[in-house]
Amino acid sequence: LLFLILTVPFQMWFSIANITEMRPDTALTPVLGMICGLPAALGCGAGNLIADLLSGYGISYAMIGTLQQIIYAMVPYFLWRRLNPERDGSEFRLDSISRMLRFCLVMFIDALLIVFCTGILNHAYSVTEFFSVQNLYLFFKSFDAGLLYGFPILIGGHFLQKYLNNLHSDEKKKVFTVSLNERMIINTIITGIGICFLIGGAVYITDKMSAEGSTLSLWGQIYLFEMVAFNFYFALSMGFMWFTEKRIALPIENLAGIAERYYVEHSDDGQRREMMMACEKYAGDSTEVGNLARSYITMIRDMELYVDNLKSVTAEKERINAELSLASEIQAHMLPCIFPPFPEHKEFELYATMTPAKEIGGDFYDFFMLDETHLAVVIADVSGKGVPAALFMVIAKTLIKNQTQTGMEVDEVFASVNSLLSDGNDMGLFVTAWLGVLELTSGKLIYVNAGHEAPLFKLKGGEFVYLKSKPGFVLALT
């Protein structure tokens, strides 16, 4: 159906010679045959059969023309697969000059085949001679139409495939991109088609303004001018695109690919060296491409140095964290943690817990029996956090317990501990502490406060009150 739509109107209105029309089906057969193979060949053959019968040709002539259409479709099919061995759908991409040249070669061979077969057929049926102007028109028409109509078909199919792949991709917000080469090819084709329309329109207007000529002569002139202009333009464009691709487009695309691969795979040393070597291939260029390649090399080296340093720092941090975790366990076990602590004493119950802000810190508590009737309780906090506070806490806890066990009064204990801690305290650490001694037989509590938060005391009725007293100065600073 598509073949008929693109054939019958052109046969009726756009003849450029006795048997040659300006029609796009010349490209439809080889291009679709190249992509789809036998189904496209059979479809174009059927369309050609109906079109020839509608044009008044005999059944034998039309049948031979149908066979020719099948040949015109299958020859590009096998040629393209020989030139492009990929079988993943990418063989139909026109994203490089080399692929464009391969496509041009297929169209050139197919145009020669069309002229050869049509020339023999027309000579056999005494329509034209084998060597004739009509066959020259037919060759250029077949070749140029293959380029003008074939390129948009392949590029349109390529972008449709990219869009569908992007639509069904698992990656979220995947960006649809068009490469520099693809942009150049698209712009070249659009410009070529535009030039053909402009030249054709100019010739048409010029012919209409001059003496009236035949329609056949008019379309022949239009096509002749378009053929010369398009082929000249296309040859120049291919040369320019080849230079641009080799010097600009491909290097930039390769460097962009290296950057993307580095982002994903930079953890592999072998792949990093491979990327460095790929960049060094362009580093000698004196253009912006060379500057970009040299910047990539510097970036990769700096990044690897940064990653190595980060690994070292991370390893050291993990080691320190492991040691801090061990120190935290040690510190936790330095505090009383077995409850009930004195099961032989039924006259009181005791429980304590502490959660440090960091792995280790300066908060601590302690309780111990001075004798069978006196229980000492300590709550304290060393200024600061981390290792220094933890070390100072060990010293403070040990001194308070030792001094309390000597039998001194609680205020004398803090005075003695303060003196001992102040000696050599160059870091300026200090301790807030509360010490209470409970006489179990009478319930009498004697306590002292060195700048610490007053503890809460629960009354018989359930009400809590602070054990307020005039707090003394903190330990270790006087």
Side-chain angles (χ1 to χ4, degrees), residues 16-20 61 111 114-124 126-141 224 227:
I16 59 176
N18 291 331
I19 61 165
T20 306
Y61 186 90
I114 291 173
V115 171
F116 180 77
C117 294
T118 305
I120 292 177
L121 179 63
N122 290 336
H123 182 72
S126 301
V127 179
T128 61
E129 295 295 327
F130 183 81
F131 295 101
S132 63
V133 175
Q134 285 83 358
N135 284 339
L136 182 64
Y137 274 132
L138 182 61
F139 170 78
F140 280 106
K141 178 186 80 99
L224 180 64
M227 176 190 70

Side-chain angles (χ1 to χ4, degrees), residues 161-186:
Q161 184 184 45
K162 285 182 67 173
Y163 173 77
L164 292 176
N165 291 340
N166 183 67
L167 197 64
H168 296 95
S169 174
D170 294 333
E171 296 182 33
K172 295 181 179 179
K173 298 182 180 179
K174 188 175 181 182
V175 180
F176 182 82
T177 58
V178 182
S179 68
L180 290 175
N181 259 351
E182 290 170 341
R183 293 176 188 273
M184 284 197 303
I185 292 170
I186 292 170

Side-chain angles (χ1 to χ4, degrees), residues 57 74 179 195 278 407:
Y57 295 112
M74 295 307 296
S179 68
I195 288 174

Side-chain angles (χ1 to χ4, degrees), residues 89-90 92-95 152-163 165 176 179 182:
S90 64
F92 301 109
R93 293 185 311 196
L94 283 183
D95 55 356
I153 291 174
L154 287 179
I155 290 176
H158 168 53
F159 281 114
L160 178 62
Q161 184 184 45
K162 285 182 67 173
Y163 173 77
N165 291 340
F176 182 82
S179 68
E182 290 170 341

Side-chain angles (χ1 to χ4, degrees), residues 18-281:
N18 291 331
I19 61 165
T20 306
E21 307 88 21
M22 294 175 61
R23 64 192 205 193
D25 67 81
T26 311
L28 195 67
T29 301
V31 174
L32 292 186
M34 187 178 72
I35 298 172
C36 303
L38 187 59
L42 294 175
C44 292
N48 185 79
L49 177 64
I50 298 172
D52 281 350
L53 292 175
L54 291 175
S55 300
Y57 295 112
I59 185 65
S60 61
Y61 186 90
M63 289 297 295
I64 294 174
T66 298
L67 179 61
Q68 286 179 309
Q69 291 296 322
I70 295 175
I71 295 173
Y72 302 157
M74 295 307 296
V75 169
Y77 177 80
F78 290 110
L79 278 175
W80 188 255
R81 275 155 178 75
R82 178 59 63 88
L83 294 172
N84 300 278
E86 304 94 336
R87 293 295 179 270
D88 57 357
S90 64
E91 64 267 26
F92 301 109
R93 293 185 311 196
L94 283 183
D95 55 356
S96 67
I97 305 304
S98 61
R99 285 185 182 271
M100 289 186 71
L101 290 174
R102 289 177 223 166
F103 181 70
C104 291
L105 177 61
V106 172
M107 291 298 103
F108 183 84
I109 294 174
D110 197 68
L112 288 177
L113 182 64
I114 291 173
V115 171
F116 180 77
C117 294
T118 305
I120 292 177
L121 179 63
N122 290 336
H123 182 72
Y125 281 85
S126 301
V127 179
T128 61
E129 295 295 327
F130 183 81
F131 295 101
S132 63
V133 175
Q134 285 83 358
N135 284 339
L136 182 64
Y137 274 132
L138 182 61
F139 170 78
F140 280 106
K141 178 186 80 99
S142 302
F143 178 67
D144 292 346
L147 302 185
L148 278 171
Y149 303 120
F151 280 136
I153 291 174
L154 287 179
I155 290 176
H158 168 53
F159 281 114
L160 178 62
Q161 184 184 45
K162 285 182 67 173
Y163 173 77
L164 292 176
N165 291 340
N166 183 67
L167 197 64
H168 296 95
S169 174
D170 294 333
E171 296 182 33
K172 295 181 179 179
K173 298 182 180 179
K174 188 175 181 182
V175 180
F176 182 82
T177 58
V178 182
S179 68
L180 290 175
N181 259 351
E182 290 170 341
R183 293 176 188 273
M184 284 197 303
I185 292 170
I186 292 170
N187 291 333
T188 299
I189 293 170
I190 292 174
T191 305
I193 295 173
I195 288 174
C196 288
F197 275 107
L198 288 174
I199 292 177
V203 174
Y204 182 86
I205 294 172
T206 303
D207 184 89
K208 290 300 182 182
M209 292 176 64
S210 61
E212 288 289 335
S214 66
T215 303
L216 189 65
S217 173
L218 170 60
W219 292 117
Q221 290 181 57
I222 290 175
Y223 189 76
L224 180 64
F225 278 98
E226 288 188 347
M227 176 190 70
V228 173
F230 178 74
N231 285 283
F232 180 73
Y233 161 79
F234 194 72
L236 289 179
S237 298
M238 291 292 287
F240 171 76
M241 286 195 296
W242 179 85
F243 174 81
T244 307
E245 178 185 82
K246 297 299 180 185
R247 297 299 302 272
I248 300 174
L250 278 183
I252 290 178
E253 288 181 16
N254 290 337
L255 290 173
I258 290 170
E260 185 174 1
R261 285 179 56 207
Y262 181 76
Y263 171 74
V264 177
E265 305 170 355
H266 70 273
S267 59
D268 190 308
D269 291 335
Q271 289 171 334
R272 286 197 294 269
R273 286 192 294 269
E274 181 183 337
M275 294 174 193
M276 293 275 286
M277 291 175 62
C279 290
E280 287 171 357
K281 183 169 64 174

Side-chain angles (χ1 to χ4, degrees), residues 372-389:
E372 287 297 320
T373 60
H374 290 85
L375 170 70
V377 177
V378 181
I379 305 172
D381 181 13
V382 178
S383 62
K385 304 292 181 184
V387 176

